[in-house]
Amino acid sequence: MHSNQRSVGRPMVEASQAVLDHYPSRNGNVSCFIDRIDPVVYTRRHGADADMPGSNGPLNQSTLDDYERDGFVILDDVFTEDEVALFQTELDVLRASPDIQRCDAVIREPGSDDVRSIFRVHAISALFQKLSVDNRLAGSAQQLLGDQVYIHQSRLNFKPGFRGKEFYWHSDFETWHVEDGMPAMRALSMSVTLAENSALNGPLLLIPGSHKSYLSCEGATPEKNFRTSLKQQVYGVPNDEALAQLVDAGGIVAATGKPGSVIIFDCNTMHGSNGNITPYLRSNIFFVYNAMSNRVVAPFCEHAPRPEYICTRENIRPIAGLSKR
Amino acid sequence: MHSNQRSVGRPMVEASQAVLDHYPSRNGNVSCFIDRIDPVVYTRRHGADADMPGSNGPLNQSTLDDYERDGFVILDDVFTEDEVALFQTELDVLRASPDIQRCDAVIREPGSDDVRSIFRVHAISALFQKLSVDNRLAGSAQQLLGDQVYIHQSRLNFKPGFRGKEFYWHSDFETWHVEDGMPAMRALSMSVTLAENSALNGPLLLIPGSHKSYLSCEGATPEKNFRTSLKQQVYGVPNDEALAQLVDAGGIVAATGKPGSVIIFDCNTMHGSNGNITPYLRSNIFFVYNAMSNRVVAPFCEHAPRPEYICTRENIRPIAGLSKR
């Protein structure tokens, strides 16, 4: 499939710890595709394996199949207008709060003071804590990952109108693996949209099928990379040739839809977004669920782990009370 | 229509010349909408006014009506695949030419050496000279403007894949008036597309109806503004409130379509484009036609005129040989 890019089987590099590094990146080698050794959907059939967490989750078989094939699904009308209005109000309150404004967990747009993201919202807002354990989200995560789950990261994202900046193509897993020490591909993201996403206001762009290969990136990881990478990613960035191969094979899908939609995408799905000069702002709530069996270890690079607000390490708690576990 | 924005009738400011300034901008005043006093379509009815230049031009009445109402039309399949291939080859030759690379008329992407535009292509390429006088383009221009026409500006535009930068909202006329001394709104642009334009690779975005009001902008014009404005516009930029009003009233249309399409838009239509992180590059050939009766005078600001490669001033020649004049 990826003919021009050197492809290797499974270079298991021993890290400075007991866990083997199946997915080395930024280790001084040239960029290459590495075969994914992890499943995509861990609960293979809806209703099967009744003892497995999530075996009777909210997603139907057709959705599981789409997710397995493409590395993402876009679900319309998951949340009602009233629910979206509640989330929007809470978001406005948080964004205006002086306490939040001063906090480390707030990321601003490059070249302006506009708030781009507020991290760890499941810990600072009772409403978003409740949302993070809602069966529509956490139950689906448990179903796809076939395990109890916890929140690896959560955030509110704002993409302002007029001057919204692009976010370049990346696989989240590449960063979570290298900088956070996430061992395997057993995690996913859920984005709850709070505004209309059209093709023109910088929607999430995804490359179908890109989750099936791991793109090991060139370069190294600078210390405290997260201080700039959350604004504009420079390291762990795929090269043009590799991206063109992925797009040739799978194309690009824009996650457009009404507020209250949920986009679920695998931790290794290549995604990004264009800038936004339209007056239409975008915002969403973002949860990353990780399998309890896939808890982070020491990072697969020589630097200290990223802060707790970006990567849950100390406060790992499985989400309880989900149906049928 | 534009309730929040102060609207004034016709502030005719006397410039440092005989020609009155109907459209003052960047003169130290706050931003405001000014009524357009010029027609949009100068040949009102197809086939009427048989003595008027362009009265039997290539555009039908429905196209003239759409253009009058929206400020633009998008025409599919104007040029054949073979013609597009010829243009593309010529473009590649020009782009690779060391002589062209060294020339002033080449504009690069901000922050890179990628060529963004090559100006004055109708003067440096026999093929593009021929294209500039093709009846499908020049005949349509003459028809819409009801006068003999000349090339005010021409260029090749490249929007690279992966790192194509956005071009912010603007009215061309605002700049052509202030910096070039174009007296009235009797000019238009034609873009011949050489690549597929999709909603995702940074297509031209237009605001329907925006051509009917002139947005006088805040600020002043720095000397030799063109040296940076062709890469990234800072002066003559509409404010957020005014833009939001225009978009509320007219929405946004993305000029998508196959190679060989032609987008014709009025000199005062507000337009821009998002960046492009997809691998799909875009390129087009761009001609600005101005009415012979609307030749540029001294700029409506205190600075020297922009160079000849951006604004034809010395070499004004009406395009001859068009049908029915």
Side-chain angles (χ1 to χ4, degrees):
Chain A
M1 168 186 163
H2 305 304
S3 55
N4 300 326
Q5 200 75 19
R6 190 171 65 87
S7 186
V8 295
R10 283 199 209 173
M12 290 191 280
V13 177
E14 197 155 353
S16 58
Q17 55 192 357
V19 180
L20 286 180
D21 184 359
H22 289 283
Y23 300 110
S25 187
R26 310 186 213 170
N27 58 356
N29 292 333
V30 296
S31 175
C32 66
F33 284 107
I34 297 174
D35 290 344
R36 177 180 185 137
I37 58 168
D38 304 310
V40 178
V41 177
Y42 284 75
T43 310
R44 299 219 164 258
R45 288 169 50 104
H46 185 77
D49 316 313
D51 292 338
M52 202 168 186
S55 61
N56 281 310
L59 305 176
N60 63 28
Q61 189 58 44
S62 150
T63 302
L64 296 179
D65 292 344
D66 288 350
Y67 182 88
E68 170 103 43
R69 183 190 65 235
D70 295 334
F72 64 89
V73 287
I74 302 165
L75 307 172
D76 296 326
D77 298 317
V78 177
F79 293 94
T80 66
E81 278 184 36
D82 288 350
E83 286 176 308
V84 169
L86 264 182
F87 301 154
Q88 187 65 54
T89 304
E90 180 79 349
L91 176 152
D92 292 340
V93 168
L94 290 176
R95 202 177 179 193
S97 153
D99 287 349
I100 301 288
Q101 289 281 338
R102 272 194 299 273
C103 144
D104 267 359
V106 169
I107 309 297
R108 295 171 196 283
E109 286 275 324
S112 93
D113 262 355
D114 289 341
V115 171
R116 177 174 193 143
S117 303
I118 299 175
F119 277 77
R120 216 169 152 63
V121 284
H122 72 291
I124 59 178
S125 152
L127 183 69
F128 292 138
Q129 195 282 326
K130 200 173 147 205
L131 177 60
S132 74
V133 302
D134 188 295
N135 192 54
R136 286 169 285 185
L137 302 184
S140 300
Q142 185 174 270
Q143 183 180 12
L144 287 165
L145 301 177
D147 194 1
Q148 287 197 295
V149 295
Y150 72 95
I151 299 283
H152 172 72
Q153 185 187 96
S154 72
R155 62 180 195 263
L156 296 172
N157 288 322
F158 311 92
K159 188 155 200 166
F162 304 112
R163 282 163 292 277
K165 291 287 172 280
E166 79 277 1
F167 214 101
Y168 201 66
W169 298 107
H170 62 287
S171 149
D172 289 328
F173 180 75
E174 198 273 348
T175 295
W176 298 342
H177 180 70
V178 173
E179 299 190 27
D180 294 341
M182 183 182 284
M185 295 182 188
R186 198 168 185 170
L188 51 77
S189 296
M190 296 209 187
S191 171
V192 180
T193 65
L194 298 185
E196 173 99 21
N197 287 331
S198 81
L200 302 184
N201 66 344
L204 181 66
L205 304 179
L206 305 127
I207 304 179
S210 58
H211 61 305
K212 291 180 184 158
S213 307
Y214 177 73
L215 183 59
S216 177
C217 296
E218 286 174 40
T221 309
E223 208 178 341
K224 307 222 161 135
N225 182 38
F226 67 89
R227 288 198 179 157
T228 53
S229 72
L230 298 175
K231 298 187 180 194
Q232 200 160 16
Q233 199 158 357
V234 176
Y235 300 90
V237 169
N239 63 31
D240 292 2
E241 190 192 8
L243 270 178
Q245 283 183 52
L246 291 171
V247 171
D248 278 349
I252 296 173
V253 169
T256 57
K258 285 190 308 179
S261 306
V262 174
I263 305 151
I264 313 180
F265 57 103
D266 178 80
C267 58
N268 190 44
T269 300
M270 196 65 78
H271 62 285
S273 62
N274 279 322
N276 176 24
I277 67 164
T278 80
Y280 311 120
L281 58 80
R282 289 170 53 231
S283 51
N284 60 57
I285 314 167
F286 202 83
F287 297 107
V288 179
Y289 296 93
N290 190 19
M292 282 300 288
S293 57
N294 194 37
R295 265 170 293 219
V296 295
V297 295
F300 292 93
C301 66
E302 69 266 40
H303 300 303
R306 300 196 295 177
E308 187 78 9
Y309 68 84
I310 301 176
C311 162
T312 307
R313 183 176 296 276
E314 307 299 328
N315 300 298
I316 291 179
R317 277 189 295 266
I319 293 172
L322 296 170
S323 62
K324 189 72 187 169
R325 45 205 315 157
Chain B
M1 168 185 164
H2 307 302
S3 53
N4 299 328
Q5 201 72 21
R6 189 169 66 86
S7 187
V8 296
R10 283 199 208 175
M12 289 191 279
V13 177
E14 197 153 354
S16 58
Q17 55 193 355
V19 179
L20 286 181
D21 185 359
H22 288 284
Y23 301 109
S25 186
R26 310 185 213 171
N27 57 356
N29 292 335
V30 296
S31 175
C32 66
F33 284 107
I34 297 174
D35 291 342
R36 177 179 184 138
I37 57 168
D38 303 310
V40 178
V41 177
Y42 282 75
T43 310
R44 299 218 163 260
R45 289 169 49 104
H46 184 76
D49 315 313
D51 291 339
M52 203 167 186
S55 62
N56 281 310
L59 305 176
N60 64 28
Q61 189 59 44
S62 151
T63 302
L64 295 178
D65 292 345
D66 289 351
Y67 182 88
E68 170 104 43
R69 183 189 66 234
D70 295 334
F72 63 90
V73 286
I74 302 165
L75 306 173
D76 296 326
D77 298 318
V78 177
F79 292 95
T80 66
E81 278 183 36
D82 288 348
E83 287 177 307
V84 169
L86 264 182
F87 302 154
Q88 187 66 53
T89 304
E90 180 79 349
L91 177 152
D92 292 340
V93 168
L94 290 176
R95 202 176 179 194
S97 152
D99 287 350
I100 302 289
Q101 289 282 338
R102 272 194 299 273
C103 144
D104 268 0
V106 169
I107 310 297
R108 295 170 196 285
E109 286 275 323
S112 94
D113 262 355
D114 289 341
V115 171
R116 178 172 193 146
S117 304
I118 299 175
F119 277 77
R120 215 166 155 63
V121 284
H122 72 290
I124 59 179
S125 151
L127 183 68
F128 293 138
Q129 195 282 326
K130 199 174 146 204
L131 177 61
S132 74
V133 302
D134 188 294
N135 193 53
R136 286 168 286 184
L137 302 184
S140 301
Q142 184 174 272
Q143 184 180 11
L144 288 165
L145 301 177
D147 193 1
Q148 287 199 295
V149 295
Y150 72 95
I151 299 283
H152 172 73
Q153 183 186 97
S154 72
R155 62 182 195 261
L156 296 172
N157 288 321
F158 311 93
K159 189 155 199 167
F162 304 112
R163 283 164 292 278
K165 290 287 172 280
E166 80 276 1
F167 214 99
Y168 201 66
W169 298 109
H170 63 287
S171 149
D172 289 327
F173 180 75
E174 198 272 347
T175 295
W176 298 342
H177 181 69
V178 174
E179 300 189 28
D180 294 339
M182 184 182 284
M185 295 182 189
R186 197 169 186 170
L188 52 78
S189 297
M190 297 210 186
S191 171
V192 180
T193 65
L194 298 184
E196 173 99 21
N197 287 331
S198 81
L200 302 183
N201 66 345
L204 181 66
L205 305 179
L206 305 127
I207 303 179
S210 58
H211 61 305
K212 291 180 184 157
S213 307
Y214 176 73
L215 182 58
S216 176
C217 296
E218 287 173 39
T221 308
E223 208 179 341
K224 306 222 161 136
N225 182 38
F226 67 89
R227 289 197 179 159
T228 54
S229 72
L230 298 176
K231 298 186 180 194
Q232 201 160 17
Q233 198 158 357
V234 177
Y235 301 89
V237 170
N239 63 30
D240 293 2
E241 189 192 10
L243 270 179
Q245 283 183 51
L246 291 172
V247 172
D248 278 350
I252 296 172
V253 169
T256 59
K258 286 189 306 177
S261 305
V262 173
I263 305 151
I264 311 179
F265 58 103
D266 178 80
C267 58
N268 190 44
T269 300
M270 196 65 78
H271 63 285
S273 63
N274 279 320
N276 176 23
I277 67 164
T278 79
Y280 311 121
L281 59 79
R282 289 172 52 233
S283 50
N284 61 57
I285 314 166
F286 202 83
F287 297 107
V288 179
Y289 296 93
N290 191 20
M292 282 300 288
S293 56
N294 194 37
R295 265 169 294 218
V296 295
V297 296
F300 293 93
C301 66
E302 69 266 40
H303 300 303
R306 301 197 294 176
E308 186 79 9
Y309 69 83
I310 301 176
C311 161
T312 307
R313 182 175 298 274
E314 307 299 327
N315 300 298
I316 291 179
R317 277 190 295 266
I319 294 172
L322 294 170
S323 62
K324 188 73 189 169
R325 47 203 315 159

